[in-house]
Amino acid sequence: MACSLRCVVVCGILLAVLDILHGLVTLGFYGYQFIIESFYLCPLELPVEKCHNKIYIYEQMFEMRVYIGIGEGIACVLFSIFYIIALVKHKPSLTWVWLMKSFAVIAINVYYLAAWLIRQGRYDHIEWEKQDYEDDFVWAGEGLTLAQIIIMILFCLIGGIFTYKVCEERTASRRNLRHRRKWSSHDATAPPLNYDEEEAQYLNEALTNSDKTLPVRASKQSLSEISRTDTFKHSTGV
């Protein structure tokens, strides 16, 4: 743990920037597929029957993943920004919220990859030619899943060090605060060393006397009261 808290925060911010790029790539890929689906899925030279079959298979296998992928890309960016704010504000509990997004992204990608592999031969009875975008979806899902796993491992490493550093800093701050309160509460009335009990009581009375007058030793009267008594005696004597 030789690195400072500031270095850990910088590393966490760099990791968040990397995750933002991951989210932008996700958003760009699925946004591109949404545009292809909306305008270029069926070229003019494609027969009507094959066009309908192509649209049907796309809707069954890939359309929902496109919509989820767009939301996934936006969520990656938002969670990364939230993660950066938590790092800057030194809030370890909030930084771990990022794991929710990471687990969700991995689960979604694994689910759709398994679904695509299982359903590959389900539409063989339909007049259909395998399209290039099928492989694009599979490769994109594998690549984004692997990238998210690597980012999550780095996040757990940085998050653990960050949490330890912040807790260590807060513990030291509380310890210093307790020492300061202890000394400040005893400084005003604590007698010096090597004083006997009578001298310590005398000094305490001198420090806490509201009239701000030193009391005379072995007497409970203040100097002002004694001076008034002496003056009264002199005046009556004359």
Side-chain angles (χ1 to χ4, degrees):
M1 300 298 177
C3 56
S4 64
L5 179 60
R6 183 177 180 181
C7 293
V8 177
V9 171
V10 171
C11 292
I13 292 175
L14 293 177
L15 181 65
V17 172
L18 182 62
D19 191 55
I20 289 176
L21 295 176
H22 174 269
L24 293 177
V25 171
T26 303
L27 181 61
F29 175 78
Y30 289 109
Y32 172 77
Q33 296 298 331
F34 175 77
I35 295 173
I36 293 295
E37 175 195 3
S38 301
F39 302 102
Y40 305 105
L41 191 60
C42 285
L44 295 176
E45 64 274 9
L46 189 67
V48 176
E49 184 178 357
K50 289 187 177 181
C51 179
H52 286 306
N53 292 340
K54 184 177 183 180
I55 293 174
Y56 172 75
I57 293 175
Y58 188 92
E59 289 176 350
Q60 293 297 314
M61 294 188 65
F62 304 110
E63 185 177 34
M64 184 57 65
R65 182 66 184 102
V66 168
Y67 297 145
I68 294 176
I70 293 174
E72 178 185 324
I74 297 173
C76 285
V77 176
L78 294 179
F79 271 85
S80 297
I81 294 174
F82 182 77
Y83 176 61
I84 292 174
I85 295 174
L87 285 173
V88 174
K89 296 294 184 179
H90 291 181
K91 302 291 184 181
S93 58
L94 297 180
T95 58
W96 292 100
V97 176
W98 183 89
L99 277 179
M100 297 172 55
K101 186 273 303 182
S102 182
F103 286 135
V105 169
I106 294 173
I108 290 171
N109 281 304
V110 170
Y111 169 78
Y112 276 99
L113 284 171
W116 292 333
L117 293 175
I118 292 172
R119 299 169 67 181
Q120 273 184 348
R122 183 171 295 183
Y123 303 103
D124 291 342
H125 62 284
I126 298 177
E127 189 177 356
W128 160 257
E129 296 178 1
K130 186 176 179 180
Q131 303 295 315
D132 294 335
Y133 63 78
E134 291 187 55
D135 294 332
D136 294 340
F137 274 98
V138 174
W139 285 109
E142 292 175 351
L144 293 174
T145 303
L146 181 61
Q148 189 64 56
I149 292 174
I150 294 174
I151 293 174
M152 186 179 68
I153 294 173
L154 294 175
F155 164 80
C156 292
L157 179 62
I158 294 176
I161 299 174
F162 175 73
T163 303
Y164 173 81
K165 287 292 184 181
V166 172
C167 292
E168 186 181 43
E169 186 179 72
R170 290 177 180 176
T171 302
S173 299
R174 292 193 194 101
R175 191 180 296 116
N176 292 334
L177 184 60
R178 278 195 224 102
H179 284 304
R180 289 177 183 176
R181 287 178 179 176
K182 182 178 179 181
W183 283 110
S184 62
S185 62
H186 289 285
D187 280 346
T189 58
L193 297 176
N194 301 326
Y195 277 83
D196 57 18
E197 185 176 353
E198 182 181 355
E199 291 177 342
Q201 183 179 1
Y202 172 76
L203 290 175
N204 287 334
E205 290 178 0
L207 291 172
T208 56
N209 189 2
S210 59
D211 293 335
K212 298 186 179 182
T213 56
L214 279 172
V216 180
R217 295 195 187 198
S219 176
K220 295 183 179 179
Q221 292 180 326
S222 64
L223 292 176
S224 59
E225 292 176 350
I226 295 173
S227 62
R228 289 195 204 101
T229 304
D230 292 340
T231 304
F232 179 76
K233 287 180 179 179
H234 285 299
S235 63
T236 53
V238 175

PDB file of all heavy atoms in Angstrom, residues 168-184:
ATOM      1  N   GLU A 168      -8.402   4.246   6.114  1.00  0.00           N
ATOM      2  CA  GLU A 168      -7.190   4.552   6.874  1.00  0.00           C
ATOM      3  C   GLU A 168      -7.090   6.044   7.153  1.00  0.00           C
ATOM      4  O   GLU A 168      -6.758   6.464   8.268  1.00  0.00           O
ATOM      5  CB  GLU A 168      -5.975   4.071   6.089  1.00  0.00           C
ATOM      6  CG  GLU A 168      -4.664   4.210   6.836  1.00  0.00           C
ATOM      7  CD  GLU A 168      -3.490   3.728   5.997  1.00  0.00           C
ATOM      8  OE1 GLU A 168      -3.456   4.055   4.788  1.00  0.00           O
ATOM      9  OE2 GLU A 168      -2.619   3.042   6.538  1.00  0.00           O
ATOM     10  N   GLU A 169      -7.413   6.865   6.155  1.00  0.00           N
ATOM     11  CA  GLU A 169      -7.349   8.318   6.327  1.00  0.00           C
ATOM     12  C   GLU A 169      -8.384   8.800   7.335  1.00  0.00           C
ATOM     13  O   GLU A 169      -8.107   9.656   8.184  1.00  0.00           O
ATOM     14  CB  GLU A 169      -7.573   9.000   4.977  1.00  0.00           C
ATOM     15  CG  GLU A 169      -7.389  10.498   4.989  1.00  0.00           C
ATOM     16  CD  GLU A 169      -7.615  11.099   3.611  1.00  0.00           C
ATOM     17  OE1 GLU A 169      -8.792  11.144   3.180  1.00  0.00           O
ATOM     18  OE2 GLU A 169      -6.643  11.515   2.972  1.00  0.00           O
ATOM     19  N   ARG A 170      -9.584   8.256   7.270  1.00  0.00           N
ATOM     20  CA  ARG A 170     -10.635   8.659   8.203  1.00  0.00           C
ATOM     21  C   ARG A 170     -10.325   8.212   9.623  1.00  0.00           C
ATOM     22  O   ARG A 170     -10.597   8.938  10.591  1.00  0.00           O
ATOM     23  CB  ARG A 170     -11.980   8.079   7.757  1.00  0.00           C
ATOM     24  CG  ARG A 170     -12.516   8.730   6.489  1.00  0.00           C
ATOM     25  CD  ARG A 170     -13.804   8.071   6.041  1.00  0.00           C
ATOM     26  NE  ARG A 170     -14.313   8.702   4.819  1.00  0.00           N
ATOM     27  CZ  ARG A 170     -15.382   8.277   4.167  1.00  0.00           C
ATOM     28  NH1 ARG A 170     -16.056   7.221   4.608  1.00  0.00           N
ATOM     29  NH2 ARG A 170     -15.785   8.898   3.067  1.00  0.00           N
ATOM     30  N   THR A 171      -9.735   7.025   9.782  1.00  0.00           N
ATOM     31  CA  THR A 171      -9.357   6.559  11.111  1.00  0.00           C
ATOM     32  C   THR A 171      -8.296   7.469  11.719  1.00  0.00           C
ATOM     33  O   THR A 171      -8.368   7.821  12.909  1.00  0.00           O
ATOM     34  CB  THR A 171      -8.826   5.117  11.035  1.00  0.00           C
ATOM     35  OG1 THR A 171      -9.834   4.277  10.465  1.00  0.00           O
ATOM     36  CG2 THR A 171      -8.455   4.602  12.414  1.00  0.00           C
ATOM     37  N   ALA A 172      -7.318   7.867  10.920  1.00  0.00           N
ATOM     38  CA  ALA A 172      -6.280   8.780  11.412  1.00  0.00           C
ATOM     39  C   ALA A 172      -6.876  10.131  11.786  1.00  0.00           C
ATOM     40  O   ALA A 172      -6.496  10.741  12.787  1.00  0.00           O
ATOM     41  CB  ALA A 172      -5.194   8.953  10.350  1.00  0.00           C
ATOM     42  N   SER A 173      -7.838  10.618  10.999  1.00  0.00           N
ATOM     43  CA  SER A 173      -8.473  11.906  11.298  1.00  0.00           C
ATOM     44  C   SER A 173      -9.256  11.837  12.601  1.00  0.00           C
ATOM     45  O   SER A 173      -9.202  12.764  13.423  1.00  0.00           O
ATOM     46  CB  SER A 173      -9.396  12.313  10.148  1.00  0.00           C
ATOM     47  OG  SER A 173      -8.672  12.460   8.954  1.00  0.00           O
ATOM     48  N   ARG A 174      -9.992  10.739  12.813  1.00  0.00           N
ATOM     49  CA  ARG A 174     -10.740  10.597  14.067  1.00  0.00           C
ATOM     50  C   ARG A 174      -9.800  10.511  15.262  1.00  0.00           C
ATOM     51  O   ARG A 174     -10.076  11.084  16.325  1.00  0.00           O
ATOM     52  CB  ARG A 174     -11.617   9.338  14.008  1.00  0.00           C
ATOM     53  CG  ARG A 174     -12.763   9.418  13.013  1.00  0.00           C
ATOM     54  CD  ARG A 174     -13.743   8.285  13.246  1.00  0.00           C
ATOM     55  NE  ARG A 174     -14.647   8.141  12.117  1.00  0.00           N
ATOM     56  CZ  ARG A 174     -14.534   7.238  11.172  1.00  0.00           C
ATOM     57  NH1 ARG A 174     -13.527   6.378  11.210  1.00  0.00           N
ATOM     58  NH2 ARG A 174     -15.401   7.173  10.181  1.00  0.00           N
ATOM     59  N   ARG A 175      -8.685   9.803  15.103  1.00  0.00           N
ATOM     60  CA  ARG A 175      -7.732   9.680  16.196  1.00  0.00           C
ATOM     61  C   ARG A 175      -7.136  11.041  16.552  1.00  0.00           C
ATOM     62  O   ARG A 175      -7.025  11.395  17.732  1.00  0.00           O
ATOM     63  CB  ARG A 175      -6.619   8.703  15.795  1.00  0.00           C
ATOM     64  CG  ARG A 175      -5.726   8.302  16.959  1.00  0.00           C
ATOM     65  CD  ARG A 175      -4.649   7.332  16.526  1.00  0.00           C
ATOM     66  NE  ARG A 175      -5.230   6.076  16.072  1.00  0.00           N
ATOM     67  CZ  ARG A 175      -5.132   5.626  14.840  1.00  0.00           C
ATOM     68  NH1 ARG A 175      -4.486   6.339  13.919  1.00  0.00           N
ATOM     69  NH2 ARG A 175      -5.672   4.481  14.496  1.00  0.00           N
ATOM     70  N   ASN A 176      -6.772  11.822  15.543  1.00  0.00           N
ATOM     71  CA  ASN A 176      -6.233  13.155  15.802  1.00  0.00           C
ATOM     72  C   ASN A 176      -7.270  14.055  16.455  1.00  0.00           C
ATOM     73  O   ASN A 176      -6.953  14.861  17.336  1.00  0.00           O
ATOM     74  CB  ASN A 176      -5.752  13.789  14.497  1.00  0.00           C
ATOM     75  CG  ASN A 176      -4.532  13.075  13.932  1.00  0.00           C
ATOM     76  OD1 ASN A 176      -3.780  12.462  14.692  1.00  0.00           O
ATOM     77  ND2 ASN A 176      -4.339  13.156  12.625  1.00  0.00           N
ATOM     78  N   LEU A 177      -8.539  13.922  16.013  1.00  0.00           N
ATOM     79  CA  LEU A 177      -9.593  14.744  16.585  1.00  0.00           C
ATOM     80  C   LEU A 177      -9.816  14.403  18.052  1.00  0.00           C
ATOM     81  O   LEU A 177     -10.021  15.295  18.885  1.00  0.00           O
ATOM     82  CB  LEU A 177     -10.884  14.544  15.789  1.00  0.00           C
ATOM     83  CG  LEU A 177     -12.079  15.409  16.207  1.00  0.00           C
ATOM     84  CD1 LEU A 177     -11.740  16.883  16.064  1.00  0.00           C
ATOM     85  CD2 LEU A 177     -13.295  15.052  15.376  1.00  0.00           C
ATOM     86  N   ARG A 178      -9.754  13.116  18.386  1.00  0.00           N
ATOM     87  CA  ARG A 178      -9.913  12.723  19.784  1.00  0.00           C
ATOM     88  C   ARG A 178      -8.787  13.275  20.642  1.00  0.00           C
ATOM     89  O   ARG A 178      -9.013  13.759  21.755  1.00  0.00           O
ATOM     90  CB  ARG A 178      -9.939  11.193  19.886  1.00  0.00           C
ATOM     91  CG  ARG A 178     -11.282  10.598  19.579  1.00  0.00           C
ATOM     92  CD  ARG A 178     -11.359   9.151  20.053  1.00  0.00           C
ATOM     93  NE  ARG A 178     -11.978   8.336  19.033  1.00  0.00           N
ATOM     94  CZ  ARG A 178     -11.329   7.547  18.202  1.00  0.00           C
ATOM     95  NH1 ARG A 178     -10.011   7.468  18.278  1.00  0.00           N
ATOM     96  NH2 ARG A 178     -11.967   6.827  17.311  1.00  0.00           N
ATOM     97  N   HIS A 179      -7.557  13.236  20.127  1.00  0.00           N
ATOM     98  CA  HIS A 179      -6.425  13.783  20.880  1.00  0.00           C
ATOM     99  C   HIS A 179      -6.579  15.282  21.086  1.00  0.00           C
ATOM    100  O   HIS A 179      -6.306  15.810  22.164  1.00  0.00           O
ATOM    101  CB  HIS A 179      -5.118  13.478  20.149  1.00  0.00           C
ATOM    102  CG  HIS A 179      -4.661  12.055  20.300  1.00  0.00           C
ATOM    103  ND1 HIS A 179      -4.446  11.463  21.521  1.00  0.00           N
ATOM    104  CD2 HIS A 179      -4.381  11.092  19.370  1.00  0.00           C
ATOM    105  CE1 HIS A 179      -4.048  10.217  21.358  1.00  0.00           C
ATOM    106  NE2 HIS A 179      -4.017   9.952  20.058  1.00  0.00           N
ATOM    107  N   ARG A 180      -7.041  15.980  20.041  1.00  0.00           N
ATOM    108  CA  ARG A 180      -7.212  17.427  20.180  1.00  0.00           C
ATOM    109  C   ARG A 180      -8.283  17.770  21.210  1.00  0.00           C
ATOM    110  O   ARG A 180      -8.121  18.677  22.016  1.00  0.00           O
ATOM    111  CB  ARG A 180      -7.585  18.030  18.824  1.00  0.00           C
ATOM    112  CG  ARG A 180      -6.442  18.037  17.828  1.00  0.00           C
ATOM    113  CD  ARG A 180      -6.899  18.583  16.498  1.00  0.00           C
ATOM    114  NE  ARG A 180      -5.834  18.528  15.505  1.00  0.00           N
ATOM    115  CZ  ARG A 180      -5.987  18.874  14.239  1.00  0.00           C
ATOM    116  NH1 ARG A 180      -7.164  19.294  13.812  1.00  0.00           N
ATOM    117  NH2 ARG A 180      -4.970  18.790  13.407  1.00  0.00           N
ATOM    118  N   ARG A 181      -9.392  17.033  21.188  1.00  0.00           N
ATOM    119  CA  ARG A 181     -10.444  17.289  22.169  1.00  0.00           C
ATOM    120  C   ARG A 181      -9.969  16.971  23.577  1.00  0.00           C
ATOM    121  O   ARG A 181     -10.304  17.677  24.531  1.00  0.00           O
ATOM    122  CB  ARG A 181     -11.664  16.432  21.824  1.00  0.00           C
ATOM    123  CG  ARG A 181     -12.428  16.920  20.605  1.00  0.00           C
ATOM    124  CD  ARG A 181     -13.591  16.000  20.307  1.00  0.00           C
ATOM    125  NE  ARG A 181     -14.348  16.481  19.154  1.00  0.00           N
ATOM    126  CZ  ARG A 181     -15.369  15.824  18.620  1.00  0.00           C
ATOM    127  NH1 ARG A 181     -15.750  14.650  19.128  1.00  0.00           N
ATOM    128  NH2 ARG A 181     -16.009  16.323  17.582  1.00  0.00           N
ATOM    129  N   LYS A 182      -9.185  15.906  23.711  1.00  0.00           N
ATOM    130  CA  LYS A 182      -8.675  15.536  25.024  1.00  0.00           C
ATOM    131  C   LYS A 182      -7.763  16.613  25.592  1.00  0.00           C
ATOM    132  O   LYS A 182      -7.889  17.021  26.736  1.00  0.00           O
ATOM    133  CB  LYS A 182      -7.933  14.207  24.914  1.00  0.00           C
ATOM    134  CG  LYS A 182      -7.398  13.690  26.245  1.00  0.00           C
ATOM    135  CD  LYS A 182      -6.723  12.345  26.044  1.00  0.00           C
ATOM    136  CE  LYS A 182      -6.155  11.843  27.372  1.00  0.00           C
ATOM    137  NZ  LYS A 182      -5.458  10.540  27.197  1.00  0.00           N
ATOM    138  N   TRP A 183      -6.855  17.110  24.754  1.00  0.00           N
ATOM    139  CA  TRP A 183      -5.931  18.139  25.227  1.00  0.00           C
ATOM    140  C   TRP A 183      -6.650  19.455  25.467  1.00  0.00           C
ATOM    141  O   TRP A 183      -6.360  20.158  26.425  1.00  0.00           O
ATOM    142  CB  TRP A 183      -4.800  18.333  24.217  1.00  0.00           C
ATOM    143  CG  TRP A 183      -3.780  17.247  24.272  1.00  0.00           C
ATOM    144  CD1 TRP A 183      -3.549  16.283  23.366  1.00  0.00           C
ATOM    145  CD2 TRP A 183      -2.854  16.996  25.349  1.00  0.00           C
ATOM    146  NE1 TRP A 183      -2.557  15.439  23.769  1.00  0.00           N
ATOM    147  CE2 TRP A 183      -2.097  15.856  24.992  1.00  0.00           C
ATOM    148  CE3 TRP A 183      -2.600  17.616  26.568  1.00  0.00           C
ATOM    149  CZ2 TRP A 183      -1.118  15.336  25.806  1.00  0.00           C
ATOM    150  CZ3 TRP A 183      -1.607  17.096  27.381  1.00  0.00           C
ATOM    151  CH2 TRP A 183      -0.876  15.968  27.005  1.00  0.00           C
ATOM    152  N   SER A 184      -7.585  19.830  24.599  1.00  0.00           N
ATOM    153  CA  SER A 184      -8.291  21.096  24.779  1.00  0.00           C
ATOM    154  C   SER A 184      -9.168  21.076  26.018  1.00  0.00           C
ATOM    155  O   SER A 184      -9.386  22.112  26.657  1.00  0.00           O
ATOM    156  CB  SER A 184      -9.148  21.396  23.548  1.00  0.00           C
ATOM    157  OG  SER A 184     -10.135  20.382  23.380  1.00  0.00           O
TER     158      SER A 184
END
